[in-house]
Amino acid sequence: MSLLAVRNVSKRFGGVNALADVTFAVEPGDVLGIIGPNGAGKTTLLNCVSGVVHPDTGDLRWEETSISRVPPYRRARLGIGRTFQIVRPFPSMTVRENTAMGALFGQPSGRLQPAAAIKQADEVLELVGLGEKRDYPVLRLTVPDRKRLEVARALAMRPRLLLLDEVMAGLNAVEVEQALEMIRRVRAGGITIVLIEHVMKVIVGVCTRALVLNFGRTLVEGPPAEVLRDRRVIEAYLGERYARDQGT
Ligand SMILES: Nc1ncnc2c1ncn2[C@@H]1O[C@H](COP(=O)(O)OP(=O)(O)OP(=O)(O)O)[C@@H](O)[C@H]1O
Ligand SMILES: [Mg+2]
């Protein structure tokens, strides 16, 4: 039984086909990498899965039950955790308090006592490498650390499926290695992962499968190394880079 099945999902924003007839499944234990040029629909796809965006057509199934009409907070409680591409921590809180909020959000109200939420927060802060900075006000964190905090907040909800939106953007080579290790630890803890990433080293380094979106459509899906050799994928990326070099 697939953990998540996305079936024929389409989403338009005005004249833009952000997603057009996208179908794929996520099996337990997968680390599915979603790649594609800017504007390809990657974030919109995660937004549909987490419930922030409603597809115009298509269906989403969680262990074979439709969740298309389930609101985001209930999807979170079913086990779908996510990060946001634009990180927005609570600015007046510490790293630890921000993470504990994630733990509380993942539970029906009153189920988790604040002390237990703090304990859960401390565990995941160790896992993402922020243990020593747990009492920092979030505003003191560097960009890579804010990304780690974003992962910690999602993990604190104890998800079964973790959706990561470009959590390695802007990291240097050493930080990318640390982030890869973190993803391996998360996966070893039994969490299935779907991640959006432009860093190809990440796709080959941790993903079990890769799916390429281009103009809202699935271009190719398969083993990462094969996908990255695919002529259509190279064209989609080179075409985009060429356009950027021309200043368009
Ligand atoms: N809320 C929205 N309203 C209008 N248009 C939107 C909205 N969200 C996304 N779009 C458009 O849908 C398309 C897909 O956007 P999306 O953010 O999903 O792309 P992406 O693949 O995540 O890109 P990036 O790599 O830049 O993050 C783009 O053309 C974008 O401008
Ligand atoms: Mg995006």
Side-chain angles (χ1 to χ4, degrees):
M1 177 166 60
S2 299
L3 190 58
L4 174 77
V6 172
R7 293 190 188 159
N8 309 104
V9 164
S10 298
K11 179 69 189 178
R12 280 177 78 89
F13 292 109
V16 177
N17 277 318
L19 293 174
D21 204 23
V22 173
T23 295
F24 65 93
V26 181
E27 310 302 332
D30 268 351
V31 181
L32 174 66
I34 297 178
I35 59 177
N38 294 115
K42 304 179 298 295
T43 297
T44 304
L45 184 57
L46 287 205
N47 284 343
C48 287
V49 173
S50 67
V52 181
V53 162
H54 290 283
D56 300 327
T57 54
D59 192 25
L60 293 150
R61 287 178 176 264
W62 177 254
E63 293 184 328
E64 291 180 4
T65 303
S66 179
I67 51 165
S68 293
R69 293 173 191 280
V70 173
Y73 79 93
R74 281 195 44 224
R75 292 191 201 187
R77 284 171 194 172
L78 282 173
I80 302 177
R82 70 165 295 175
T83 65
F84 286 87
Q85 186 171 3
I86 317 265
V87 301
R88 288 198 197 87
F90 299 108
S92 63
M93 293 184 182
T94 65
V95 168
R96 194 188 204 189
E97 288 163 350
N98 262 282
T99 311
M101 290 302 286
L104 291 169
F105 182 70
Q107 298 290 324
S109 59
R111 268 303 159 74
L112 193 67
Q113 295 302 311
I118 293 282
K119 187 164 171 283
Q120 239 165 271
D122 285 350
E123 280 168 23
V124 295
L125 285 170
E126 285 300 328
L127 189 71
V128 303
L130 279 177
E132 288 174 10
K133 296 178 182 165
R134 66 187 188 190
D135 293 321
Y136 278 29
V138 283
L139 296 179
R140 246 185 93 188
L141 293 185
T142 58
V143 170
D145 279 346
R146 285 182 197 209
K147 298 265 180 186
R148 289 189 184 105
L149 172 62
E150 191 62 17
V151 178
R153 289 208 296 177
L155 277 176
M157 292 165 48
R158 302 226 164 129
R160 291 173 60 205
L161 174 67
L162 180 63
L163 310 171
L164 303 174
D165 195 350
E166 292 197 40
V167 290
M168 297 187 211
L171 301 191
N172 66 33
V174 174
E175 291 160 347
V176 166
E177 280 307 324
Q178 291 168 343
L180 283 176
E181 272 312 309
M182 176 187 82
I183 287 178
R184 292 190 187 110
R185 284 197 296 272
V186 169
R187 186 187 181 209
I191 298 174
T192 304
I193 299 168
V194 174
L195 58 88
I196 296 175
E197 203 48 72
H198 282 296
V199 184
M200 295 307 150
K201 196 176 168 190
V202 173
I203 300 295
V204 216
V206 290
C207 292
T208 54
R209 284 188 302 133
L211 183 151
V212 186
L213 282 181
N214 196 29
F215 297 112
R217 291 185 181 276
T218 307
L219 193 62
V220 191
E221 190 191 345
E226 266 175 43
V227 163
L228 295 183
R229 274 200 306 269
D230 194 288
R231 185 184 49 81
R232 291 164 294 175
V233 177
I234 295 166
E235 268 176 21
Y237 270 98
L238 286 181
E240 196 250 347
R241 188 169 299 164
Y242 180 78
R244 202 172 349 149
D245 289 345
Q246 301 302 302
T248 55

